[in-house]
Amino acid sequence: QVQLVESGGGLAQAGGSLRLACTAPGRIFGRAHMAWFRQAPGKEREFVVGISRNGGSAYFEDSIKGRFTISRDNAKNTVYLQMNSLKPEDTGVYYCAAKPTILSDNRKFDSVDDYAHWGQGTQVTVSS
């Protein structure tokens, strides 16, 4: 069954903004690194941005640095992705993922194989 649920995807024009959200069961979310991946048609799923369990460390794929912001609210079991200055190459299905880890682990995890729990994805389309 679906463990993580994404929302907020849709259509935007180049230069526009979207905000994505992902909610997970508390026993998963409260002890996990969270991340967003995306996948374009015919391409491999790729890392976009991650955030540590306590929200103290965030890390990004180079192409979106300065444009996207990730945050989490552990009380609401929700992680957010604010996407600004969108580009057509940002188009894809965006997936939320969770990696159970200890609170003090601030390492970067950017591989699909790092994550144990996934959502079904939400479509983001950016027109030129």
Side-chain angles (χ1 to χ4, degrees), residues 31-100:
R31 60 184 295 269
H33 274 247
M34 301 297 296
W36 292 93
F37 290 74
R38 66 188 179 190
Q39 187 169 18
K43 295 185 178 181
E44 298 290 325
R45 191 171 300 186
E46 66 175 358
F47 173 81
V48 178
V49 58
I51 187 168
S52 62
R53 179 173 159 179
N54 66 357
S57 179
Y59 46 102
F60 301 83
E61 191 275 326
D62 288 342
S63 70
I64 55 87
K65 287 182 178 178
R67 299 191 296 120
F68 293 6
T69 301
I70 189 171
S71 62
R72 67 187 294 163
D73 186 338
N74 287 355
K76 297 181 179 179
N77 300 320
T78 301
V79 62
Y80 303 92
L81 180 63
Q82 177 66 45
M83 304 185 293
N84 299 322
S85 301
L86 284 164
K87 303 176 180 180
E89 53 262 43
D90 295 321
T91 293
V93 178
Y94 281 67
Y95 296 90
C96 182
K99 173 184 171 56

Side-chain angles (χ1 to χ4, degrees), residues 20 51 75 113 119-120:
L20 307 184
I51 187 168
D113 293 338
Q120 289 185 322

Side-chain angles (χ1 to χ4, degrees), residues 99-121:
K99 173 184 171 56
T101 188
I102 62 173
L103 182 63
S104 60
D105 191 346
N106 290 320
R107 292 178 293 169
K108 299 178 180 179
F109 301 97
D110 60 3
S111 172
V112 169
D113 293 338
D114 290 326
Y115 293 86
H117 307 286
W118 294 85
Q120 289 185 322

